């Protein structure tokens, strides 16, 4: 990281004036690669240092910019021991909050509105007006002031409220604008979660409707990776000399096939699944779906499925204007798949 910034980066301190008042801007700009995906992966690497950056497109080049002063300070402090370009930066007189440091306005206002707070708790720190205006919705909440409010109110509120305020003021998330809202005609609701290359889902208190199918066929290394998440509700990451523990309060829904294709009711389920006991013990509930052979029912089910395929075929022929034989007219009539 330090080598990239020393060779392809620039740390600049610029002074500007507006309405007779001087401002000092400090930012970092990196010209890494013409490949957009390479730049996006570098932005993800910066997040490991708790640094937010953005990608700006220019003619034939992509620029990675770190413009928020707290992010610049965190990055400079992290790479200073290994960099020849990073030096002491002048202390800012006034801090301007970056757009990514915004907190969600509605949840913050709702949480602050539910609190009964005396002005004396916040007046000594000059936070009462900020607290009041955020609660009324007349000021955009930023994480910095919200963190100071959470710290000041910690002794006066219960532990759960204090934890919620601290989480909303945390730096482990950022708000971004929705690029596109598109409606698709469908009889029901479908939520499609997608991430770009190099990114992963972090399920923390959420449910992702993509279960693990055929768990027994997973790579053993991949199966062992979910042990910690299922038992301790967290994930430990150790890459590129960086060690971090990420919260992963999630539930795992998985399906697996028995060793011999059918469950034997006279044996334990653990004996019939090709899974390690250490992994099975982490599931709170295990259900076995048993198919009891029954010739009459199985025959009716097979005929029903075949008839469904035939109905679809004959309807397709009729829509294409092809003739349908009289002996198969029954297959073109109304048909219920249930």
């Amino acid at each position: 990281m330090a080598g990239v910034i020393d060779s392809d980066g620039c740390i600049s301190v610029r002074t500007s004036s507006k309405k007779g008042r001087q401002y000092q801007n400090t930012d970092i700009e990196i010209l890494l690669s013409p490949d957009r995906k390479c730049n996006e992966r570098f932005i993800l690497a910066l997040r490991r240092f708790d640094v937010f950056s953005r990608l700006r497109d220019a003619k034939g080049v992509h620029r990675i910019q770190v413009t928020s002063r707290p992010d610049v300070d965190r990055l400079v402090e992290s790479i200073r021991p290994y960099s020849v370009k990073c030096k002491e930066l002048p202390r800012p007189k006034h801090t301007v909050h970056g757009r990514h440091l915004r907190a969600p306005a509605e949840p913050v206002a709702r949480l602050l509105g539910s609190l009964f707070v005396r002005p004396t708790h916040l007046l000594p720190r000059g936070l009462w007006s900020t607290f009041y205006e955020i609660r009324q919705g007349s000021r955009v909440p930023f994480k910095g002031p919200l963190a100071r409010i959470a710290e000041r109110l910690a002794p006066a509120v219960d532990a759960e409220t204090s934890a919620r305020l601290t989480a909303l003021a945390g730096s482990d998330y950022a708000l971004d604008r929705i690029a596109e809202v598109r409606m698709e005609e469908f009889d029901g609701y479908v939520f499609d979660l997608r991430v770009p290359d190099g990114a992963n889902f972090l399920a923390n208190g959420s449910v992702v409707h993509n279960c693990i199918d055929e768990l027994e066929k997973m790579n053993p290394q991949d199966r062992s990776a979910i042990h910690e998440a299922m038992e301790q509700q967290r994930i430990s990451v150790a890459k590129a000399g960086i060690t971090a523990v990420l919260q992963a309060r999630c539930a795992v829904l998985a399906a697996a096939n028995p060793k011999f294709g059918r469950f034997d009711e006279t044996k334990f389920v653990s004996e019939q699944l090709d899974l390690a006991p250490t992994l099975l013990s982490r599931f709170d509930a295990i259900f076995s779906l048993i198919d009891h052979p029954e010739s009459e029912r199985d025959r009716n089910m097979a005929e029903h499925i075949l008839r469904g395929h035939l109905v679809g075929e004959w309807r397709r022929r009729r829509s294409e204007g092809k003739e349908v034989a009289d002996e198969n007219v029954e297959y073109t009539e109304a048909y219920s798949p249930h």
Side-chain angles (χ1 to χ4, degrees):
M1 190 71 67
V4 169
I5 294 178
D6 284 347
S7 59
D8 301 317
C10 175
I11 303 175
S12 58
V13 180
R14 298 188 298 270
T15 302
S16 59
S17 60
K18 185 177 181 180
K19 295 182 179 180
R21 188 174 182 178
Q22 286 192 343
Y23 295 89
Q24 196 174 69
N25 303 321
T26 304
D27 58 48
I28 299 177
E29 186 171 296
I30 304 168
L31 301 177
L32 180 62
S33 170
D35 184 9
R36 185 178 183 85
K37 288 188 176 181
C38 179
N39 288 278
E40 290 174 349
R41 287 193 289 267
F42 188 81
I43 289 176
L44 290 175
L46 289 176
R47 285 297 300 126
R48 297 185 181 275
F49 294 89
D50 202 12
V51 174
F52 281 91
S53 58
R54 56 185 176 181
L55 190 61
R56 290 290 183 88
D57 295 330
K59 291 184 178 180
V61 68
H62 302 289
R63 296 182 299 170
I64 300 174
Q65 291 184 334
V66 182
T67 56
S68 173
R69 183 56 189 265
D71 292 321
V72 171
D73 290 340
R74 277 193 291 269
L75 182 56
V76 170
E77 286 297 324
S78 300
I79 66 175
R80 180 179 289 130
Y82 316 99
S83 172
V84 297
K85 185 178 291 186
C86 294
K87 300 179 180 180
E88 289 290 338
L89 299 176
R91 296 188 61 181
K93 295 181 179 179
H94 303 282
T95 302
V96 179
H97 301 289
R99 182 179 298 174
H100 67 279
L101 295 177
R102 289 184 179 182
E106 185 176 344
V108 171
R110 187 167 56 248
L111 180 59
L112 297 184
S114 65
L115 302 179
F116 177 74
V117 179
R118 297 181 182 274
T120 52
H121 288 124
L122 299 175
L123 282 175
R125 296 287 185 92
L127 295 173
W128 172 249
S129 61
T130 303
F131 172 85
Y132 181 80
E133 291 175 3
I134 292 176
R135 187 170 63 178
Q136 297 298 319
S138 58
R139 176 182 291 193
V140 177
F142 284 91
K143 296 179 181 179
L146 190 60
R148 293 195 295 271
I149 291 175
E151 180 184 3
R152 187 65 180 173
L153 293 181
V157 298
D158 57 272
E160 182 180 355
T161 302
S162 178
R164 292 175 62 187
L165 278 172
T166 304
L168 287 170
S171 60
D172 57 348
Y173 76 96
L175 303 180
D176 202 356
R177 292 184 177 181
I178 298 175
E180 180 185 7
V181 178
R182 184 174 57 193
M183 297 296 296
E184 298 284 348
E185 293 186 3
F186 183 75
D187 186 14
Y189 294 94
V190 174
F191 302 91
D192 188 11
L193 302 178
R194 298 182 181 180
V195 293
D197 294 339
N200 293 311
F201 281 118
L202 290 181
N204 184 19
S206 62
V207 177
V208 180
H209 184 63
N210 276 337
C211 66
I212 303 175
D213 191 17
E214 297 187 343
L215 181 63
E216 79 284 353
K217 293 183 175 62
M218 284 181 61
N219 188 299
Q221 294 180 348
D222 295 336
R223 285 207 303 260
S224 63
I226 65 176
H227 284 193
E228 184 181 7
M230 296 178 65
E231 181 179 7
Q232 302 180 15
Q233 299 289 279
R234 68 183 187 185
I235 296 176
S236 299
V237 180
K239 289 186 178 180
I242 302 172
T243 303
V245 178
L246 306 176
Q247 296 296 324
R249 295 188 291 269
C250 62
V252 176
L253 177 64
N257 298 317
K259 294 180 182 178
F260 307 106
R262 188 183 298 273
F263 279 110
D264 187 347
E265 297 183 59
T266 62
K267 297 181 179 179
F268 291 108
V269 175
S270 58
E271 299 177 4
Q272 304 182 65
L273 294 175
D274 190 15
L275 296 172
T278 54
L279 180 59
L280 279 177
S281 64
R282 285 169 168 80
F283 285 96
D284 297 322
I286 300 177
F287 302 93
S288 56
L289 302 180
I290 301 175
D291 180 20
H292 295 282
E294 188 176 334
S295 58
E296 185 66 23
R297 185 198 61 182
D298 294 344
R299 185 183 301 107
N300 293 336
M301 185 180 298
E303 291 178 354
H304 183 78
I305 294 173
L306 291 174
R307 185 169 182 268
H309 288 288
L310 288 172
V311 167
E313 177 65 19
W314 288 113
R315 286 183 177 177
R316 183 185 64 81
R317 291 192 179 188
R318 174 174 287 183
S319 64
E320 294 176 355
K322 297 180 180 179
E323 294 184 0
V324 179
D326 294 339
E327 61 270 17
N328 294 311
V329 171
E330 59 174 314
Y331 293 126
T332 65
E333 297 175 355
Y335 169 78
S336 174
H338 304 292

